[in-house]
Each structure stands twice: as structure tokens, then as C-alpha cells.
């Protein structure tokens, strides 16, 4: 079967792109390996910069129970805390609920969705042949929105796959009554950091990033929590009092923060597939949604503008991607380098006279402005 666009991956970037493209009258297929709803390793805080766009797509965030988040705090390994108001604010919502809502919205919009893994996306003349285990599809364009890594990356030989990453991500939801509802907080521990925020269910999402060399000696997440996470007094209190909701934490390894191509073999990379911002910035979900809008607009322009070539469209997309996101990724790398260095962090905490001004300035470097539709 032939489509205007095939989207590989049905996460935030893939689903929002599919809805936007379908609203513009294009035929869209989404290939997603896992049926909805399901949980994902994710911080589950979304900046308000994408709220107008999500509303335009037809998503009722209030109806989904999204939790307004206005404040931010961060603690060093010793438990000393700095706090600030978030410049734009945001909302807390689980990927379980958000992705599922976008999935149903996509179906209502006429998007075709198949729960299969894309093996290859081969460019032939002026279109693609995309294969799964059981089927073959054709399209004019392919959007790679498959997340951090996939079989598609392997098939088109992306460079970052050859660079091993030492980072591991772990997530679990907890029942806990001692956390402020309108706050997202970040807490440092040896070799990593973790974020806490409330979701629409009333449960607290705790998602952390740890370096493999710190995690490996302890063998499993329970021992690591007891021996390493609990070195931060705030996390120690949280883990002692909070009750896990999941049967077991979710985890993902080989999280790569290396630079990636925005376009590879004519596939337009979108969301984490095009570049992963460090989780401490709290902007990954918003960036994925914003990237979906940019990608979709270039494709829509291609179909509506005579003489607008694929080559020019790809160049324009790469320029726009760099304009909107390269600076954020740069500052994210620098901030992570600071946060994972205990000596620097302790020094910063001891000399900052005004945490509100300092933290607001840092947050602004990794966040964008509200997206206009």
C-alpha cells in the first residue's frame, strides 16, 4: 500500500507528526512496535511551550488530568537545595496516558497505525520502500521517530551506533504524599541524577540517569537505590517512605547523547532519533513535539508548493532543526558536565546568592518559546 508519509515510531514525535500531517490532508501510516497504552522510561514533565500546539491538534490536556507545574528545585549530593519559579511552567503527565490519548486522536484523524517493527526504509528514485517482518509499504517520505535507537538506524548505518554509551535510565511510579504537586525536582547522587514530578494519576514519577561504572558494581536497581541513590538525603527519605506502584522499575541502557544527523539517506529524523537532550533539562518531550511540527511543515510545504524540491526541503529542515535545537543540546551537555561533578556542584551551591535568577537563566538556555500555530 502507498502513503504520502510513513512515520517509523509512535511516540510523541511520531504521533504528533502523523496527526498534523493528516489534518493537512496527507495519507499517513505509523509503524509502532508496541500496542498502546504502555509505560516508557521518561521524565514525564512537559514544558508549556508546546501546549498551544497540542491544543491545536485536539488534545484536551485538562481533561486528561495533566498536573500544572510551576516550580523547580535541585539538590546536590549533600541534600542542599536551590529553588526557582519555572519561566514558562509546564505540566506533568505519564507517557502511558499521553501517548495513548495521541494514538486515539490519530485514529480519529484518519491515520493508519500498524503495530509492527520497521526493518528497512530504502530510498528509490523519488520515494521509499519500507519493510516490516510481514509487509512492505511505499511512501513519498519517511519520518524516523523511533526514539533513541532502532533496527532502522542499523539498516541505514547511522554512525552513533558504533559509539558505546555508558548511561542507563531507570523509571518507576510511586505512591507518596510528601511531594509538592506543582513542582518538578532534580536530585544529584554519585554518578548521576534523578527527577521527581507528579503525574495525572497522583503518583510520583521518579526517573533517573546513572553512569554504568557506578551502577555495575551493585548489580541491580534495589541495591543501587540503597547504596547510591540514598546518599542524597532527599532521595533517601523519598525511597524509604514512597511505595512503588510498578511490579518492577523500567530500565533502558545505551542512552546516547552523541550528535546525530537530522537527515540520513533522505529519512527525516525527528525527536530523540535526531538528537537527545540530557534529561536534567526537562525539555526532551517538548523538543520531540516541536520537532514533529517542524518536520511536518516542511513535508506539507513540499506537497503544496510547486518547484519545491526534496533536496531543498531537506536542507531547510536541517537548518530549522539546528536553529531551534542545537543550542539547547549544547547547553544540556555543559549543564550535565556540571551536575555530575560533585566538587563543581558543591562549589556552585555555596556561592550562589540568588538561586531564582541563576536557575531561571539556566532553564531559559534549554527551553524554547511557546510554539505558534
Amino acid at each position: 500500500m502507498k502513503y504520502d508519509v510513513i512515520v517509523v515510531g509512535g511516540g510523541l514525535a511520531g504521533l504528533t507528526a502523523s496527526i498534523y500531517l493528516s489534518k493537512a490532508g496527507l495519507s499517513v501510516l505509523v509503524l509502532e512496535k508496541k500496542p498502546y497504552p504502555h509505560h516508557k522510561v521518561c521524565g514525564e514533565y512537559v514544558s508549556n511551550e508546546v501546549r498551544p500546539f497540542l491544543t491545536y491538534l485536539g488534545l484536551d490536556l485538562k481533561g486528561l488530568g495533566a498536573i500544572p507545574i510551576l516550580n523547580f528545585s535541585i539538590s546536590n549530593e549533600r541534600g542542599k537545595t536551590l529553588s526557582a519559579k519555572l519561566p514558562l511552567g509546564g505540566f506533568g503527565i505519564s507517557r502511558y496516558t499521553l501517548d495513548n490519548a495521541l494514538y486515539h486522536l490519530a485514529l480519529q484523524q484518519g491515520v493508519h497505525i500498524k503495530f509492527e517493527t520497521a526493518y528497512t526504509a530504502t530510498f528509490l528514485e523519488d520515494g521509499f520502500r519500507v519493510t516490516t517482518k510481514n509487509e512492505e509499504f511505499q511512501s513519498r517520505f519517511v519520518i524516523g521517530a523511533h526514539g533513541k535507537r532502532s533496527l532502522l538506524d542499523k539498516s541505514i548505518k547511522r554512525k552513533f551506533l558504533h559509539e558505546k554509551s555508558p548511561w542507563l535510565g531507570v523509571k518507576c511510579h510511586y505512591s507518596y504524599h510528601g511531594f509538592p504537586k506543582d513542582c518538578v525536582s532534580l536530585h544529584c547522587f554519585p554518578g548521576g541524577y534523578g527527577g521527581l514530578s507528579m503525574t495525572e494519576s497522583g503518583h510520583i514519577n521518579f526517573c533517573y540517569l546513572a553512569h554504568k561504572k557506578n551502577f555495575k558494581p551493585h548489580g541491580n536497581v534495589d541495591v543501587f537505590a540503597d547504596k547510591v541513590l540514598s546518599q542524597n538525603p532527599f532521595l533517601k527519605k523519598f525511597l524509604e517512605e514512597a511505595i512503588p506502584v510498578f511490579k518492577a522499575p523500567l530500565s533502558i541502557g545505551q542512552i546516547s547523547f552523541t550528535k546525530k544527523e537530522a537527515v540520513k539517506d533522505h529519512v527525516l529524523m525527528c525527536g530523540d532519533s535526531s538528537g537527545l537532550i540530557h534529561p536534567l533539562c526537562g525539555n526532551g518531550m517538548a523538543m520531540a513535539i516541536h520537532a514533529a511540527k517542524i518536520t511536518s511543515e516542511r513535508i506539507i510545504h513540499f506537497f503544496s508548493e510547486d518547484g519545491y524540491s526534496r533536496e531543498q526541503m531537506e536542507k531547510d529542515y536541517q537548518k530549522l532543526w539546528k536553529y531551534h535545537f542545537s543550542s539547547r543540546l549544547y547547553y544540556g551537555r555543559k549543564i550535565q558536565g556540571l551536575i555530575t561533578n560533585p566538587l563543581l556542584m558543591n562549589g556552585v551551591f555555596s556561592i550562589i546568592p540568588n538561586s531564582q535568577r541563576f536557575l531561571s537563566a539556566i532553564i531559559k538556555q534549554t527551553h524554547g518559546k511557546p510554539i505558534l500555530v
Side-chain angles (χ1 to χ4, degrees):
M1 191 169 178
K2 192 168 184 178
Y3 296 88
D4 293 321
V5 185
I6 292 177
V7 181
V8 178
L12 293 180
L15 289 171
T16 50
S18 73
I19 296 167
Y20 196 33
L21 291 164
S22 186
K23 285 173 75 71
L26 301 181
S27 59
V28 185
L29 168 68
V30 174
L31 296 174
E32 164 60 30
K33 62 182 179 181
K34 191 174 181 181
Y36 305 94
H38 55 265
H39 287 285
K40 291 184 177 181
V41 177
C42 180
E44 300 186 333
Y45 162 78
V46 190
S47 167
N48 276 336
E49 66 189 82
V50 296
R51 182 182 282 270
F53 180 54
L54 292 175
T55 300
Y56 167 78
L57 293 181
L59 196 68
D60 181 9
L61 290 168
K62 186 176 180 180
L64 293 173
I67 303 295
I69 295 179
L70 306 173
N71 300 298
F72 170 75
S73 67
I74 180 171
S75 71
N76 63 8
E77 292 181 15
R78 297 174 180 175
K80 184 175 180 180
T81 302
L82 297 176
S83 302
K85 292 282 186 182
L86 289 165
L88 282 179
F91 53 94
I93 188 168
S94 70
R95 293 295 299 275
Y96 186 93
T97 293
L98 181 56
D99 288 21
N100 191 50
L102 288 168
Y103 161 61
H104 286 287
L105 190 58
L107 291 178
Q108 294 170 17
Q109 190 59 51
V111 175
H112 291 185
I113 299 178
K114 287 183 175 290
F115 297 110
E116 296 190 52
T117 298
Y119 282 24
T120 64
T122 307
F123 184 74
L124 300 170
E125 295 182 3
D126 195 33
F128 286 87
R129 182 178 70 240
V130 179
T131 62
T132 67
K133 183 178 180 180
N134 303 308
E135 297 184 75
E136 180 177 301
F137 307 95
Q138 295 181 340
S139 66
R140 293 293 299 279
F141 290 95
V142 169
I143 295 176
H146 45 266
K148 298 171 181 62
R149 58 181 61 228
S150 77
L151 288 175
L152 181 60
D153 289 320
K154 187 176 181 180
S155 73
I156 59 178
K157 300 178 181 178
R158 300 189 75 190
K159 294 179 181 179
F160 80 91
L161 291 176
H162 301 292
E163 302 177 22
K164 288 188 176 181
S165 172
W167 295 104
L168 168 77
V170 179
K171 161 190 165 173
C172 189
H173 282 186
Y174 293 84
S175 176
Y176 183 67
H177 301 292
F179 189 81
K181 187 176 181 180
D182 65 347
C183 181
V184 57
S185 64
L186 191 69
H187 306 281
C188 301
F189 54 82
Y193 52 86
L196 292 163
S197 61
M198 185 172 286
T199 67
E200 77 293 339
S201 65
H203 295 143
I204 304 299
N205 178 45
F206 176 42
C207 188
Y208 67 83
L209 188 74
H211 198 284
K212 185 177 179 180
K213 70 178 182 181
N214 292 76
F215 184 88
K216 192 174 181 180
H218 303 285
N220 63 64
V221 294
D222 292 331
V223 176
F224 185 73
D226 183 57
K227 300 295 184 181
V228 181
L229 299 182
S230 292
Q231 290 186 42
N232 180 306
F234 189 99
L235 291 180
K236 178 178 175 63
K237 183 177 187 297
F238 173 79
L239 292 169
E240 287 177 346
E241 299 177 359
I243 301 172
V245 176
F246 296 171
K247 291 182 178 179
L250 305 179
S251 63
I252 182 172
Q254 289 288 316
I255 301 175
S256 176
F257 299 104
T258 190
K259 293 182 179 180
K260 300 177 182 178
E261 312 96 330
V263 179
K264 172 64 174 174
D265 291 357
H266 302 287
V267 176
L268 305 176
M269 298 299 173
C270 185
D272 289 351
S273 304
S274 57
L276 183 62
I277 194 167
H278 291 273
L280 61 93
C281 301
N283 199 232
M285 294 173 73
M287 279 180 56
I289 294 166
H290 192 177
K293 180 176 183 289
I294 294 170
T295 314
S296 301
E297 286 176 339
R298 289 303 90 206
I299 293 175
I300 293 167
H301 190 62
F302 175 88
F303 280 104
S304 62
E305 185 74 19
D306 290 339
Y308 189 55
S309 68
R310 182 186 295 271
E311 180 183 12
Q312 186 60 52
M313 186 272 287
E314 292 178 2
K315 287 181 180 179
D316 289 345
Y317 174 60
Q318 291 177 85
K319 288 179 182 177
L320 286 167
W321 193 97
K322 185 176 181 180
Y323 173 79
H324 286 286
F325 305 125
S326 62
S327 177
R328 300 194 208 185
L329 295 176
Y330 170 81
Y331 281 105
R333 289 191 292 270
K334 295 299 182 182
I335 297 168
Q336 174 145 310
L338 168 65
I339 283 184
T340 54
N341 187 316
L343 291 176
L344 288 177
M345 275 295 285
N346 292 336
V348 167
F349 272 64
S350 66
I351 63 174
I352 294 176
N354 187 324
S355 63
Q356 171 69 45
R357 182 179 300 175
F358 175 78
L359 293 177
S360 294
I362 290 179
I363 292 168
K364 286 179 181 179
Q365 295 300 325
T366 59
H367 286 59
K369 297 178 181 180
I371 300 173
L372 300 178
V373 182

